[in-house]
């Protein structure tokens, strides 16, 4: 438990002084102690750490244990508050610090906890996985002990919340709480919609492909059940953490009466992002053959897209020891590197949409709701009892139930039904990104492809390029084989709709050295049309606009340079606009203001540049089209359950308006688009004023980037101004390669980017935002934000001598 006496002693002696110093001085203070030699308990030999001017730690260890011990130690030092929030999410212990409001989350986390054997789990990811993870955790805990012994080292968040960090175990590293999951939530939504409007209409409004799924819901599943909160523990397990003013040390909390309205606005912003970005929070990656590059060697580019945060989700590091020499980025709480290069090749990832969850619905015994019917027998649910510590309350008891398929989320004693979630990610090997440890040591395409077969979660498009001239692609991920049902709606748990195992990963789609000279993926369906294992493929994919734009550029050029690949990562050309704008230019308007706005689109280049007025007009028009078409195509009773309709589907309706409009479809399409355009101009005038010359896209009141610290809303405005980043104007949106969320705020997209020319590792380009450190006192807290906001990169040195030339700090960690 937290040593509150210690914390209060800290406050009495130092807190107010600390606050005043922090407020007076800018956190971008220069490093004054370039050479440091701390003594670290747990190391076997000396470790040299060179921190470059961008904040990247280059770790030089003499053995594998010390390498991963140091990675954990240094990452925790940079990201201690991020680590503590992660640990509490992973262990279901947020109630200890935030009270009863987090109790249901903690129960959900523990219900979905991985309960397998340590050695089997960890050695899946690497032959020495258990040793590596234990060393990594020991490094984390060594730094945590330092902080507890020296509380003046506590980052400000701990002081503001009146908490201390606690120690890690291997189970924190392999927690599934941060995985890209949640298909089961879609199943429930789809089933509700289908129960209201039928399968034919559902297939009409959803963009399921490349095959038509079976959406039939078993007649024994009551409609009434589907509209109950049957996934509550799962939803609690997956939700983000929100801090409230009451959690904050009283002198620094947000006392504004508008807090609740502000919180609601931000929560709505995130919900809209997750709705509109359901298939777009993914990534871009591509590899280009040396035949098409200026250097004559392959190039790899990757920009993973996730929700933006302070600190960044990803963390650059360079790991160097016997058998290891790899630089790149990963999630800081996980050992190894998931995206980067070694001395042989380079690799990157995007999501390969895969359904690895199913909702199971059972008949329960009329006299015993904890017995369920499976394969002709009544079986007892497995029971686990638990105790949860809750702030300001006595310890709370919890009971978790499990069927042969997985955790039980709902028991209905009236309907005699139970609901469970079957999760492929609860199999050994389901920890996100940890199998990257094998990839980090790959020397050839064959070794890399083999390493990919251990990557279960998330399912990914892994691309590879090497100095031998090879480019390759392997789709990864644990993929249940479903025969006779799609998995898109709830399935029976009686044994009649079982998974037929998992498809071996090396049988998932892959390619090597295609004649076209490049491979590109952006979360769209890139499965070859003749692929046979369709019963292990999903039906939900991102719109192809980003990938199509990347392929368009790569197919028309040659002698590509790193700078051109950077321009493509930041490309703002909106392919949907090339389809929609020509319809608009054929429409006649009576209003002068409307005509002038239309005229701005006539010579527009379809680029969503932040300084473009035409871009600002177009995006608002597209938004109105998406909202208005939903009211036309979705029956009223289903509207609350249908999220954003994919733009690909909408464009198909505009191309063939008879699918939407019955009488005179062309004329009705024109009327519809005209109405949406007028709505857009009204909205822009309300938003930005009547002067159309001020309607440029990128600005504080329109497209911008504001990245909030996790405590932001709970803090006073003075603190918020110091911890948050932005707002700054942005361009692009979800469907441009520079994907950065559909709404006004750039809440999602690429915080991390990397571009590698395999000819010269010293030319590697990278970025991260807002900085490497999560500690607001660090000079590396937000030093990269302006560079990122202007679509710029830094050079990622690889050779020791070049790294030393860009040195900001040098530390020699000495064993005790």
């Amino acid at each position: 438990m937290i040593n509150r006496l210690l914390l209060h002693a800290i406050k009495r002696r130092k807190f107010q002084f600390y606050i005043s110093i922090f407020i007076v001085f800018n956190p971008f203070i220069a490093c004054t102690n370039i050479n440091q030699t701390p003594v670290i308990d747990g190391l076997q030999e000396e470790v040299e750490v060179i921190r470059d001017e961008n904040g990247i730690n280059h770790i030089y260890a003499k053995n594998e244990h010390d390498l991963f011990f140091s990675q954990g130690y240094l990452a925790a030092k940079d990201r201690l508050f991020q680590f503590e929030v992660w640990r509490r999410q992973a262990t279901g212990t947020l109630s200890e610090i935030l009270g009863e409001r987090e109790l249901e989350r903690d129960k959900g986390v523990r219900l979905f906890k991985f309960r397998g054997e340590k050695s089997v789990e960890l050695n899946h990811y690497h032959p020495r996985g258990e040793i590596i993870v234990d060393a990594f955790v020991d490094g984390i805990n060594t730094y945590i002990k330092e902080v507890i012994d020296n509380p003046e080292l506590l980052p400000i968040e701990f002081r503001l919340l009146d908490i201390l960090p606690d120690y890690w175990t291997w189970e924190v590293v392999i927690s599934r709480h941060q995985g890209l999951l949640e298909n089961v939530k879609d199943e429930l939504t789809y089933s509700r919609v289908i129960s209201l409007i039928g399968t034919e209409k559902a297939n009409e409004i959803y963009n399921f492909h490349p095959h038509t799924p079976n959406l039939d819901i078993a007649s024994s599943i009551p409609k009434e059940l589907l509209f109950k909160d049957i996934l509550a523990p799962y939803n609690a397990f997956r939700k983000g953490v929100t801090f409230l003013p009451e959690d904050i040390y009283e002198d620094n909390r947000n006392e504004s009466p508008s807090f609740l309205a502000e919180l609601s606005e931000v929560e709505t912003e995130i919900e809209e992002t997750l709705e509109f970005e359901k298939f777009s929070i993914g990534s871009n990656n591509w590899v280009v053959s040396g035949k098409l590059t200026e250097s004559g060697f392959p190039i790899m580019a990757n920009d993973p897209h996730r929700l933006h945060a302070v600190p960044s989700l990803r963390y650059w590091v360079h790991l160097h020891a016997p058998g290891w020499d790899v630089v790149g980025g990963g999630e800081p709480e996980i050992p190894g590197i998931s995206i980067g290069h070694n001395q042989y090749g380079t690799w990157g990832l995007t999501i390969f949409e895969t359904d690895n969850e199913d909702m199971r619905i059972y008949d329960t015994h009329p006299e015993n709701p904890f017995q369920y019917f499976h394969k002709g027998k009544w079986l007892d649910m497995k029971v686990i009892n638990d105790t949860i510590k809750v702030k300001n309350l006595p310890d709370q008891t919890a009971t978790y139930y499990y069927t042969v398929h997985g955790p039980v989320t709902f028991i209905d004693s009236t309907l005699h039904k139970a609901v469970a979630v079957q999760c492929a990610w609860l199999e050994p090997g389901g920890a996100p990104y940890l199998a990257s440890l094998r990839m980090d040591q790959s020397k050839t395409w064959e070794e890399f492809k083999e390493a990919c077969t251990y990557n279960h979660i998330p399912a990914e498009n892994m691309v590879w390029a090497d100095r031998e001239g090879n480019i390759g692609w392997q789709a990864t991920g644990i993929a249940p084989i479903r025969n006779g049902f799609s998995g898109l709606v709830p399935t029976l748990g009686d044994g009649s709709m079982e998974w037929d195992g998992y498809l071996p990963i090396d049988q998932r789609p892959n390619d090597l050295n295609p004649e076209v000279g490049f491979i590109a993926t952006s979360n769209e369906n890139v499965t070859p049309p003749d692929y046979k294992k369709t019963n292990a493929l999903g039906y939900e994919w991102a719109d192809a606009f980003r990938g199509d734009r990347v392929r368009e550029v790569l197919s028309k050029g040659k002698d590509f340079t790193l700078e051109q690949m950077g321009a493509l990562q930041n490309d703002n050309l909106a392919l949907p606009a090339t389809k929609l704008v020509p319809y608009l230019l054929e429409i006649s308007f009576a209003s002068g203001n409307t005509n002038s706005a239309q005229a701005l689109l006539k010579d527009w280049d379809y680029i969503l540049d932040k300084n473009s007025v035409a871009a600002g007009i177009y995006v608002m028009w597209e938004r109105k089209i998406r909202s208005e078409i939903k009211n036309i195509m979705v029956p009223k009773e289903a509207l609350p359950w249908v999220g954003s309709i994919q733009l690909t589907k909408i464009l198909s309706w505009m191309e063939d308006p008879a699918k939407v409009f019955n009488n005179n479809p062309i004329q009705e399409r024109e009327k519809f688009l005209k109405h949406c355009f007028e709505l857009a101009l009204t909205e822009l005038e309300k938003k930005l004023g009547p002067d159309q010359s001020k309607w440029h896209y990128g600005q504080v009141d329109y497209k911008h980037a504001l990245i909030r610290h996790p405590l932001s809303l709970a803090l006073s405005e003075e603190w918020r101004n110091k911890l948050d980043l932005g707002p700054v104007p942005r361009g692009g949106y979800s469907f441009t390669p520079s994907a950065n969320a559909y709404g006004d705020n750039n809440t999602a997209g690429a915080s991390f980017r990397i571009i590698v020319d395999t000819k010269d590792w010293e030319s590697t380009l990278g970025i991260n935002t807002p900085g490497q450190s999560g500690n607001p006192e660090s000079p590396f807290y937000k030093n990269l934000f302006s560079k990122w906001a202007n679509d710029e990169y830094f050079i990622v040195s690889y050779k020791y001598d070049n790294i030393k030339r860009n040195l900001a700090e040098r530390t020699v960690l000495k064993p005790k």
Side-chain angles (χ1 to χ4, degrees):
M1 286 293 292
I2 299 163
N3 188 340
R4 293 191 171 277
L5 291 177
L6 173 62
L7 280 177
H8 288 302
I10 294 168
K11 287 190 178 68
R12 284 196 303 270
R13 296 195 308 268
K14 301 177 179 179
F15 191 73
Q16 294 303 328
F17 173 73
Y18 176 91
I19 295 289
S20 63
I21 291 296
F22 189 93
I23 289 174
V24 170
F25 292 101
N26 190 300
F28 287 94
I29 55 174
C31 299
T32 57
N33 191 1
I34 292 178
N35 291 288
Q36 306 169 63
T37 56
V39 176
I40 307 296
D41 189 11
L43 285 177
Q44 298 172 0
E45 301 179 84
E46 286 188 357
V47 175
E48 182 182 22
V49 182
I50 299 176
R51 186 155 210 175
D52 68 26
E53 60 190 5
N54 297 303
I56 300 175
N57 283 318
H58 301 260
I59 305 171
Y60 292 87
K62 298 174 183 176
N63 61 75
E64 186 175 83
H65 169 274
D66 288 355
L67 179 68
F68 289 101
F69 179 100
S70 300
Q71 185 186 8
Y73 176 89
L74 293 165
K77 188 175 183 179
D78 261 344
R79 303 285 188 96
L80 189 59
F81 182 63
Q82 186 181 37
F83 270 56
E84 178 62 9
V85 174
W86 175 295
R87 185 191 67 78
R88 289 192 175 277
Q89 286 183 280
T91 56
T93 53
L94 274 163
S95 297
E96 288 185 12
I97 63 170
L98 300 181
E100 188 176 15
R101 75 173 192 262
E102 293 294 344
L103 180 57
E104 293 308 311
R105 178 214 294 277
D106 287 350
K107 289 179 181 179
V109 169
R110 298 179 189 208
L111 174 67
F112 283 92
K113 176 182 177 180
F114 174 77
R115 299 180 183 275
E117 183 182 340
K118 177 184 178 183
S119 61
V120 173
E121 168 74 358
L122 297 185
N123 291 332
H124 168 90
Y125 306 108
H126 190 277
R128 297 181 300 283
E130 187 171 6
I131 297 170
I132 289 171
V133 172
D134 281 347
F136 184 76
V137 169
D138 287 346
I140 294 170
N141 288 338
T142 296
Y143 184 70
I144 289 172
K145 185 178 187 304
E146 277 188 29
V147 170
I148 292 174
D149 290 345
N150 302 276
E152 67 274 7
L153 297 176
L154 276 172
I156 187 61
E157 294 94 340
F158 292 91
R159 301 163 186 260
L160 291 167
L161 289 168
D162 192 15
I163 64 173
L164 286 174
D166 211 340
Y167 295 109
W168 280 45
T169 67
W170 69 274
E171 293 170 298
V172 180
V173 176
I174 58 87
S175 171
R176 277 66 162 158
H177 77 275
Q178 84 286 12
L180 294 172
L181 313 173
E182 300 194 352
N183 179 267
V184 72
K185 295 170 68 173
D186 296 336
E187 290 179 35
L188 181 56
T189 298
Y190 294 148
S191 66
R192 288 170 172 171
V193 171
I194 292 163
S195 71
L196 294 169
I197 64 175
T199 59
E200 183 177 352
K201 187 64 176 178
N203 267 314
E204 183 181 346
I205 61 177
Y206 290 116
N207 191 36
F208 298 132
H209 65 286
H211 305 285
T212 302
N214 180 350
L215 299 179
D216 294 333
I217 301 173
S219 59
S220 61
I221 298 176
K223 179 178 178 180
E224 179 185 354
L225 178 68
L226 299 176
F227 287 87
K228 295 186 177 185
D229 195 9
I230 59 178
L231 290 178
Y234 182 96
N235 293 332
F237 156 59
R238 297 292 297 158
K239 72 177 182 179
V241 182
T242 300
F243 293 95
L244 304 179
E246 65 200 53
D247 305 323
I248 301 296
Y249 184 75
E250 58 188 356
D251 291 345
N252 301 282
R253 64 178 55 155
N254 182 359
E255 301 287 3
S256 170
S258 64
F259 166 76
L260 291 178
E262 194 174 359
L263 176 64
S264 176
E265 181 180 335
V266 172
E267 288 178 341
T268 299
E269 180 181 88
I270 296 298
E271 287 170 7
E272 288 179 349
T273 294
L274 294 175
E275 176 184 324
F276 282 107
E277 310 302 315
K278 172 174 164 46
F279 301 108
S280 296
I281 293 183
S283 312
N284 304 315
N285 67 16
W286 60 86
V287 280
V288 183
S289 165
K291 296 183 297 183
L292 298 179
T293 67
E294 184 180 68
S295 71
F297 283 74
I299 288 177
M300 189 283 296
N302 190 195
D303 53 308
H305 308 154
R306 295 285 290 277
L307 288 175
H308 287 321
V310 180
S312 170
L313 173 70
R314 290 186 169 85
Y315 181 74
W316 280 88
V317 68
H318 182 183
L319 304 175
H320 188 284
W324 301 84
D325 192 4
V326 56
V327 64
E331 298 190 14
E333 303 89 347
I334 301 170
I337 287 168
S338 56
I339 304 164
H341 75 80
N342 57 26
Q343 64 269 52
Y344 304 102
T346 178
W347 57 94
L349 56 85
T350 69
I351 295 301
F352 184 89
E353 301 289 351
T354 299
D355 180 358
N356 44 50
E357 298 173 335
D358 272 350
M359 185 191 304
R360 299 295 188 178
I361 297 183
Y362 310 86
D363 291 323
T364 56
H365 197 286
E367 298 177 3
N368 184 354
F370 305 110
Q371 284 188 331
Y372 63 100
F373 195 71
H374 178 73
K375 292 188 175 180
K377 298 179 181 179
W378 291 105
L379 303 180
D380 292 324
M381 295 179 186
K382 179 182 176 182
V383 181
I384 294 178
N385 295 308
D386 193 15
T387 302
I388 302 177
K389 295 183 182 299
V390 181
K391 180 181 178 182
N392 298 328
L393 285 178
D395 291 355
Q396 303 291 300
T397 59
T399 304
Y400 315 124
Y401 298 95
Y402 300 85
T403 69
V404 294
H405 294 114
V408 175
T409 60
F410 193 79
I411 298 174
D412 193 317
S413 300
T414 303
L415 296 174
H416 304 299
K417 299 288 183 182
V419 179
V421 182
Q422 186 173 9
C423 312
W425 43 267
L426 282 177
E427 298 280 2
Y433 302 112
L434 198 48
S436 299
L437 286 167
R438 293 180 184 264
M439 301 177 195
D440 292 348
Q441 293 185 297
S442 299
K443 298 178 181 179
T444 65
W445 161 250
E446 289 74 22
E447 288 185 10
F448 182 78
K449 191 168 185 284
E450 169 67 14
C452 286
T453 65
Y454 294 89
N455 188 81
H456 287 181
I457 297 292
E460 292 167 338
N461 294 290
M462 299 300 310
V463 295
W464 164 271
D466 61 38
R467 290 181 63 85
E468 301 303 315
N470 296 304
I471 60 171
W473 159 59
Q474 175 66 59
T476 73
I478 187 166
I481 298 173
R482 298 177 178 89
N483 290 315
F485 62 102
S486 66
L488 286 180
V489 293
T491 50
L492 298 177
D494 62 4
S496 64
M497 307 176 83
E498 298 295 283
W499 294 347
D500 292 331
Y502 302 107
L503 182 71
I505 290 177
D506 61 3
Q507 294 182 26
R508 304 207 85 188
N510 56 78
D511 201 1
L512 177 65
N513 297 326
E515 288 187 15
V516 69
F518 61 85
I519 301 168
T521 80
S522 295
N523 319 116
E524 78 280 37
N525 177 30
V526 290
T527 307
D530 59 350
Y531 182 69
K532 303 299 183 185
K533 311 286 185 178
T534 56
N535 56 354
L537 281 182
Y539 302 87
E540 306 166 281
W541 306 89
D543 296 274
F545 305 119
R546 286 183 287 120
D548 285 348
R549 173 58 180 163
V550 170
R551 284 183 287 272
E552 178 182 74
V553 172
L554 295 180
S555 65
K556 293 180 178 179
K558 62 180 181 177
D559 297 331
F560 287 115
T561 64
L562 290 171
E563 291 71 24
Q564 288 173 320
M565 297 297 91
L568 184 52
Q569 283 187 336
N570 292 288
D571 185 279
N572 288 327
L573 191 141
L575 286 184
T578 67
K579 305 292 184 182
L580 286 172
V581 170
Y583 296 132
L584 181 73
L585 299 182
E586 296 176 358
I587 298 174
S588 297
F589 293 95
S591 164
N593 285 341
T594 310
N595 281 323
S596 62
Q598 181 192 39
L600 288 170
L601 295 177
K602 284 183 179 178
D603 297 318
W604 180 46
D605 56 10
Y606 306 115
I607 293 175
L608 301 183
D609 183 85
K610 61 186 177 183
N611 297 313
S612 169
V613 173
I617 294 171
Y618 170 77
V619 169
M620 187 61 72
W621 180 49
E622 185 187 283
R623 290 182 189 178
K624 294 301 180 183
I625 291 171
R626 296 186 75 181
S627 62
E628 293 298 307
I629 199 70
K630 182 176 172 180
N631 293 327
I632 294 174
M633 293 301 293
V634 179
K636 184 179 297 185
E637 61 271 28
L639 277 173
W641 308 108
V642 175
S644 172
I645 297 176
Q646 285 189 256
L647 190 53
T648 298
K649 179 69 75 168
I650 295 172
L651 292 183
S652 73
W653 292 338
M654 294 301 101
E655 185 177 353
D656 185 2
K659 294 179 179 178
V660 180
F661 307 108
N662 295 324
N663 301 317
N664 200 335
I666 300 295
Q667 184 177 331
E668 288 300 308
R669 178 187 67 193
E670 180 178 301
K671 181 179 178 182
F672 169 76
L673 294 176
K674 181 177 183 179
H675 172 65
C676 292
F677 194 65
E678 291 167 344
L679 289 176
L681 300 189
T682 300
E683 180 75 13
L684 285 169
E685 186 167 339
K686 178 181 176 182
K687 186 183 189 70
L688 303 174
D691 185 351
Q692 292 184 359
S693 68
K694 296 181 179 180
W695 289 2
H696 53 277
Y697 186 43
Q699 55 177 299
V700 171
D701 293 323
Y702 202 176
K703 191 65 173 183
H704 64 274
L706 170 61
I707 308 180
R708 296 181 178 89
H709 187 278
L711 298 184
S712 177
L713 293 182
L715 290 170
S716 65
E717 185 175 356
E718 190 173 19
W719 269 109
R720 201 182 311 184
N721 290 338
K722 295 182 181 302
L723 298 181
D724 293 351
L725 286 302
V728 293
R730 297 290 283 158
Y733 74 156
S734 301
F735 305 121
T736 56
S738 62
N740 59 24
Y742 198 72
D744 282 358
N745 191 7
N746 185 174
T747 49
S751 59
F752 169 96
R753 290 188 174 100
I754 184 172
I755 311 171
V756 183
D757 188 330
T758 58
K759 179 181 181 180
D760 180 14
W761 306 126
E762 301 307 308
S763 64
T764 297
L765 300 178
I767 192 61
N768 200 13
T769 193
Q772 281 285 99
S773 176
N775 188 341
E777 299 167 81
S778 169
F780 303 114
Y781 176 69
K782 54 182 178 180
N783 61 308
L784 300 175
F785 179 68
S786 61
K787 189 181 289 284
W788 169 85
N790 290 306
D791 301 331
E792 298 172 0
Y793 297 83
F794 54 74
I795 298 290
V796 185
S797 297
Y798 188 57
K799 290 180 181 178
Y800 183 83
D801 289 344
N802 289 336
I803 293 165
K804 283 193 71 174
R805 274 193 277 272
N806 297 313
L807 178 149
E809 300 173 353
R810 179 179 179 270
T811 304
V812 177
L813 307 178
K814 292 182 174 290
K816 189 170 183 179

